[in-house]
Short mmCIF file of all heavy atoms in Angstrom, two decimals:
data_model
loop_
_atom_site.label_atom_id
_atom_site.label_comp_id
_atom_site.label_asym_id
_atom_site.label_seq_id
_atom_site.Cartn_x
_atom_site.Cartn_y
_atom_site.Cartn_z
N LYS K 1 -13.00 -9.36 -25.01
CA LYS K 1 -11.79 -10.08 -25.40
C LYS K 1 -11.09 -10.68 -24.17
O LYS K 1 -10.54 -11.76 -24.23
CB LYS K 1 -10.83 -9.13 -26.12
CG LYS K 1 -9.63 -9.83 -26.74
CD LYS K 1 -8.70 -8.86 -27.44
CE LYS K 1 -9.26 -8.48 -28.77
NZ LYS K 1 -8.32 -7.71 -29.58
N TYR K 2 -11.13 -9.94 -23.06
CA TYR K 2 -10.52 -10.41 -21.81
C TYR K 2 -11.57 -10.53 -20.72
O TYR K 2 -12.51 -9.73 -20.65
CB TYR K 2 -9.44 -9.42 -21.33
CG TYR K 2 -8.18 -9.45 -22.15
CD1 TYR K 2 -8.02 -8.62 -23.24
CD2 TYR K 2 -7.13 -10.32 -21.83
CE1 TYR K 2 -6.86 -8.64 -24.00
CE2 TYR K 2 -5.98 -10.35 -22.57
CZ TYR K 2 -5.84 -9.51 -23.65
OH TYR K 2 -4.69 -9.54 -24.39
N VAL K 3 -11.41 -11.52 -19.85
CA VAL K 3 -12.22 -11.68 -18.65
C VAL K 3 -11.24 -11.86 -17.49
O VAL K 3 -10.28 -12.61 -17.60
CB VAL K 3 -13.15 -12.92 -18.75
CG1 VAL K 3 -13.83 -13.18 -17.42
CG2 VAL K 3 -14.18 -12.72 -19.84
N ASN K 4 -11.50 -11.15 -16.41
CA ASN K 4 -10.62 -11.20 -15.23
C ASN K 4 -11.30 -11.94 -14.09
O ASN K 4 -12.52 -12.06 -14.03
CB ASN K 4 -10.28 -9.79 -14.76
CG ASN K 4 -9.48 -9.03 -15.77
OD1 ASN K 4 -8.42 -9.47 -16.20
ND2 ASN K 4 -9.98 -7.88 -16.18
N SER K 5 -10.46 -12.37 -13.14
CA SER K 5 -11.00 -12.86 -11.87
C SER K 5 -11.83 -11.75 -11.25
O SER K 5 -11.57 -10.57 -11.48
CB SER K 5 -9.85 -13.19 -10.91
OG SER K 5 -9.09 -14.26 -11.36
N PRO K 6 -12.81 -12.13 -10.42
CA PRO K 6 -13.57 -11.08 -9.72
C PRO K 6 -12.65 -10.31 -8.78
O PRO K 6 -11.66 -10.83 -8.28
CB PRO K 6 -14.60 -11.88 -8.91
CG PRO K 6 -14.61 -13.25 -9.47
CD PRO K 6 -13.28 -13.47 -10.13
N GLU K 7 -12.98 -9.05 -8.56
CA GLU K 7 -12.22 -8.22 -7.63
C GLU K 7 -12.37 -8.78 -6.22
O GLU K 7 -13.46 -9.20 -5.82
CB GLU K 7 -12.72 -6.78 -7.68
CG GLU K 7 -12.51 -6.10 -9.01
CD GLU K 7 -11.24 -5.27 -9.10
OE1 GLU K 7 -10.80 -4.73 -8.08
OE2 GLU K 7 -10.71 -5.18 -10.21
N THR K 8 -11.25 -8.81 -5.50
CA THR K 8 -11.23 -9.27 -4.10
C THR K 8 -10.33 -8.34 -3.31
O THR K 8 -9.75 -7.40 -3.86
CB THR K 8 -10.69 -10.71 -3.99
OG1 THR K 8 -9.29 -10.70 -4.35
CG2 THR K 8 -11.45 -11.68 -4.86
N ALA K 9 -10.15 -8.64 -2.05
CA ALA K 9 -9.25 -7.83 -1.22
C ALA K 9 -7.81 -7.90 -1.73
O ALA K 9 -7.05 -6.94 -1.58
CB ALA K 9 -9.32 -8.30 0.23
N ILE K 10 -7.42 -9.03 -2.36
CA ILE K 10 -6.04 -9.15 -2.85
C ILE K 10 -5.91 -8.96 -4.35
O ILE K 10 -4.81 -8.80 -4.85
CB ILE K 10 -5.41 -10.51 -2.44
CG1 ILE K 10 -6.17 -11.68 -3.04
CG2 ILE K 10 -5.29 -10.61 -0.94
CD1 ILE K 10 -5.47 -13.00 -2.88
N PHE K 11 -7.02 -8.97 -5.08
CA PHE K 11 -6.97 -8.73 -6.52
C PHE K 11 -7.81 -7.51 -6.88
O PHE K 11 -9.03 -7.57 -6.92
CB PHE K 11 -7.46 -9.94 -7.31
CG PHE K 11 -7.51 -9.67 -8.80
CD1 PHE K 11 -6.35 -9.46 -9.52
CD2 PHE K 11 -8.72 -9.62 -9.47
CE1 PHE K 11 -6.40 -9.19 -10.89
CE2 PHE K 11 -8.78 -9.37 -10.83
CZ PHE K 11 -7.61 -9.14 -11.54
N GLN K 12 -7.10 -6.41 -7.09
CA GLN K 12 -7.73 -5.16 -7.53
C GLN K 12 -6.93 -4.65 -8.70
O GLN K 12 -5.82 -4.13 -8.54
CB GLN K 12 -7.76 -4.16 -6.39
CG GLN K 12 -8.58 -4.62 -5.21
CD GLN K 12 -8.44 -3.73 -4.01
OE1 GLN K 12 -7.93 -2.62 -4.08
NE2 GLN K 12 -8.89 -4.21 -2.87
N LYS K 13 -7.48 -4.83 -9.92
CA LYS K 13 -6.69 -4.55 -11.11
C LYS K 13 -6.33 -3.07 -11.25
O LYS K 13 -5.38 -2.75 -11.92
CB LYS K 13 -7.36 -5.08 -12.37
CG LYS K 13 -8.66 -4.46 -12.74
CD LYS K 13 -9.23 -5.13 -13.98
CE LYS K 13 -10.52 -4.46 -14.39
NZ LYS K 13 -11.00 -4.93 -15.64
N SER K 14 -7.04 -2.19 -10.55
CA SER K 14 -6.68 -0.78 -10.60
C SER K 14 -5.43 -0.48 -9.77
O SER K 14 -4.89 0.61 -9.83
CB SER K 14 -7.84 0.08 -10.10
OG SER K 14 -8.09 -0.19 -8.74
N LYS K 15 -4.96 -1.50 -9.01
CA LYS K 15 -3.76 -1.33 -8.19
C LYS K 15 -2.59 -2.17 -8.69
O LYS K 15 -1.45 -1.92 -8.31
CB LYS K 15 -4.04 -1.69 -6.73
CG LYS K 15 -5.01 -0.76 -6.06
CD LYS K 15 -5.21 -1.13 -4.61
CE LYS K 15 -6.15 -0.15 -3.95
NZ LYS K 15 -6.35 -0.43 -2.53
N LEU K 16 -2.86 -3.18 -9.53
CA LEU K 16 -1.82 -4.11 -9.96
C LEU K 16 -1.36 -3.82 -11.39
O LEU K 16 -2.18 -3.63 -12.27
CB LEU K 16 -2.34 -5.55 -9.89
CG LEU K 16 -2.68 -6.08 -8.51
CD1 LEU K 16 -3.43 -7.39 -8.62
CD2 LEU K 16 -1.43 -6.23 -7.68
N LEU K 17 -0.07 -3.84 -11.58
CA LEU K 17 0.50 -3.73 -12.91
C LEU K 17 1.00 -5.10 -13.33
O LEU K 17 1.76 -5.75 -12.60
CB LEU K 17 1.66 -2.74 -12.93
CG LEU K 17 1.24 -1.27 -12.83
CD1 LEU K 17 2.41 -0.41 -12.42
CD2 LEU K 17 0.65 -0.80 -14.15
N TYR K 18 0.56 -5.55 -14.49
CA TYR K 18 0.95 -6.87 -14.97
C TYR K 18 2.45 -6.89 -15.25
O TYR K 18 2.96 -6.04 -15.97
CB TYR K 18 0.17 -7.23 -16.23
CG TYR K 18 0.38 -8.66 -16.65
CD1 TYR K 18 -0.28 -9.69 -16.01
CD2 TYR K 18 1.26 -8.98 -17.67
CE1 TYR K 18 -0.09 -11.00 -16.37
CE2 TYR K 18 1.46 -10.29 -18.05
CZ TYR K 18 0.78 -11.30 -17.40
OH TYR K 18 0.99 -12.61 -17.77
N GLY K 19 3.14 -7.84 -14.65
CA GLY K 19 4.57 -8.01 -14.86
C GLY K 19 5.47 -7.18 -13.97
O GLY K 19 6.69 -7.30 -14.04
N PHE K 20 4.88 -6.34 -13.10
CA PHE K 20 5.72 -5.47 -12.27
C PHE K 20 6.67 -6.26 -11.38
O PHE K 20 7.82 -5.87 -11.19
CB PHE K 20 4.84 -4.53 -11.43
CG PHE K 20 5.64 -3.52 -10.64
CD1 PHE K 20 6.41 -2.57 -11.28
CD2 PHE K 20 5.60 -3.52 -9.26
CE1 PHE K 20 7.14 -1.63 -10.56
CE2 PHE K 20 6.32 -2.60 -8.52
CZ PHE K 20 7.10 -1.65 -9.18
N TRP K 21 6.22 -7.37 -10.87
CA TRP K 21 7.07 -8.17 -9.99
C TRP K 21 8.32 -8.65 -10.73
O TRP K 21 9.38 -8.81 -10.12
CB TRP K 21 6.29 -9.33 -9.38
CG TRP K 21 5.99 -10.44 -10.33
CD1 TRP K 21 5.03 -10.49 -11.29
CD2 TRP K 21 6.68 -11.69 -10.41
NE1 TRP K 21 5.07 -11.68 -11.96
CE2 TRP K 21 6.08 -12.44 -11.44
CE3 TRP K 21 7.75 -12.25 -9.72
CZ2 TRP K 21 6.51 -13.70 -11.79
CZ3 TRP K 21 8.16 -13.52 -10.07
CH2 TRP K 21 7.55 -14.24 -11.09
N LYS K 22 8.22 -8.88 -12.05
CA LYS K 22 9.37 -9.31 -12.85
C LYS K 22 10.21 -8.13 -13.33
O LYS K 22 11.41 -8.27 -13.54
CB LYS K 22 8.89 -10.06 -14.10
CG LYS K 22 8.58 -11.49 -13.89
CD LYS K 22 9.85 -12.26 -13.79
CE LYS K 22 9.69 -13.66 -14.29
NZ LYS K 22 10.75 -14.52 -13.83
N SER K 23 9.58 -6.99 -13.52
CA SER K 23 10.22 -5.87 -14.19
C SER K 23 10.72 -4.77 -13.27
O SER K 23 11.41 -3.86 -13.72
CB SER K 23 9.25 -5.26 -15.20
OG SER K 23 8.87 -6.20 -16.17
N LYS K 24 10.40 -4.83 -11.98
CA LYS K 24 10.76 -3.70 -11.12
C LYS K 24 12.27 -3.46 -11.03
O LYS K 24 12.70 -2.31 -11.05
CB LYS K 24 10.12 -3.82 -9.74
CG LYS K 24 10.51 -5.02 -8.94
CD LYS K 24 9.70 -5.10 -7.65
CE LYS K 24 9.95 -6.42 -6.97
NZ LYS K 24 9.09 -6.62 -5.82
N ASN K 25 13.07 -4.52 -10.98
CA ASN K 25 14.52 -4.29 -10.95
C ASN K 25 15.06 -3.76 -12.27
O ASN K 25 15.85 -2.81 -12.26
CB ASN K 25 15.25 -5.56 -10.50
CG ASN K 25 15.02 -5.85 -9.03
OD1 ASN K 25 14.80 -4.94 -8.23
ND2 ASN K 25 15.04 -7.11 -8.66
N PRO K 26 14.66 -4.32 -13.42
CA PRO K 26 15.09 -3.70 -14.69
C PRO K 26 14.61 -2.25 -14.85
O PRO K 26 15.32 -1.43 -15.42
CB PRO K 26 14.47 -4.61 -15.76
CG PRO K 26 14.37 -5.94 -15.10
CD PRO K 26 14.03 -5.63 -13.66
N ILE K 27 13.43 -1.94 -14.32
CA ILE K 27 12.95 -0.55 -14.38
C ILE K 27 13.90 0.35 -13.60
O ILE K 27 14.29 1.42 -14.08
CB ILE K 27 11.51 -0.44 -13.82
CG1 ILE K 27 10.52 -1.07 -14.80
CG2 ILE K 27 11.14 1.01 -13.52
CD1 ILE K 27 9.11 -1.25 -14.24
N ARG K 28 14.32 -0.10 -12.43
CA ARG K 28 15.29 0.68 -11.64
C ARG K 28 16.61 0.82 -12.39
O ARG K 28 17.21 1.90 -12.42
CB ARG K 28 15.53 0.01 -10.28
CG ARG K 28 14.43 0.18 -9.31
CD ARG K 28 14.79 -0.41 -7.94
NE ARG K 28 13.64 -0.38 -7.08
CZ ARG K 28 12.93 -1.44 -6.73
NH1 ARG K 28 13.25 -2.64 -7.14
NH2 ARG K 28 11.88 -1.32 -5.96
N ASP K 29 17.07 -0.29 -12.98
CA ASP K 29 18.35 -0.28 -13.70
C ASP K 29 18.33 0.67 -14.90
O ASP K 29 19.28 1.43 -15.11
CB ASP K 29 18.71 -1.69 -14.18
CG ASP K 29 18.97 -2.66 -13.04
OD1 ASP K 29 19.18 -2.20 -11.89
OD2 ASP K 29 18.94 -3.88 -13.29
N VAL K 30 17.25 0.62 -15.68
CA VAL K 30 17.14 1.45 -16.89
C VAL K 30 16.76 2.89 -16.53
O VAL K 30 17.13 3.82 -17.23
CB VAL K 30 16.11 0.84 -17.87
CG1 VAL K 30 15.83 1.75 -19.04
CG2 VAL K 30 16.58 -0.52 -18.36
N GLY K 31 16.02 3.05 -15.45
CA GLY K 31 15.60 4.39 -15.03
C GLY K 31 14.26 4.82 -15.58
O GLY K 31 13.85 5.97 -15.41
N SER K 32 13.55 3.90 -16.25
CA SER K 32 12.22 4.22 -16.75
C SER K 32 11.42 2.94 -16.93
O SER K 32 11.98 1.85 -17.03
CB SER K 32 12.30 4.96 -18.09
OG SER K 32 12.80 4.11 -19.09
N ALA K 33 10.10 3.11 -16.98
CA ALA K 33 9.19 2.00 -17.22
C ALA K 33 8.56 2.18 -18.59
O ALA K 33 8.14 3.28 -18.96
CB ALA K 33 8.10 1.94 -16.15
#
């Protein structure tokens, strides 16, 4: 159903959370993810 870019030094899906860059401040504000 999904196909990802190949893993590289800067793209490792086991380390990246989708949307974290947008949600990190609201996560801090609410106190949970």
Side-chain angles (χ1 to χ4, degrees):
K1 188 181 282 189
Y2 287 91
V3 172
N4 295 304
S5 294
E7 296 265 329
T8 67
I10 61 170
F11 176 67
Q12 297 171 13
K13 65 182 182 172
S14 65
K15 293 182 179 182
L16 296 169
L17 287 162
Y18 188 78
F20 185 63
W21 74 282
K22 277 284 210 198
S23 300
K24 61 186 171 186
N25 289 331
I27 288 169
R28 285 185 187 106
D29 295 343
V30 173
S32 67

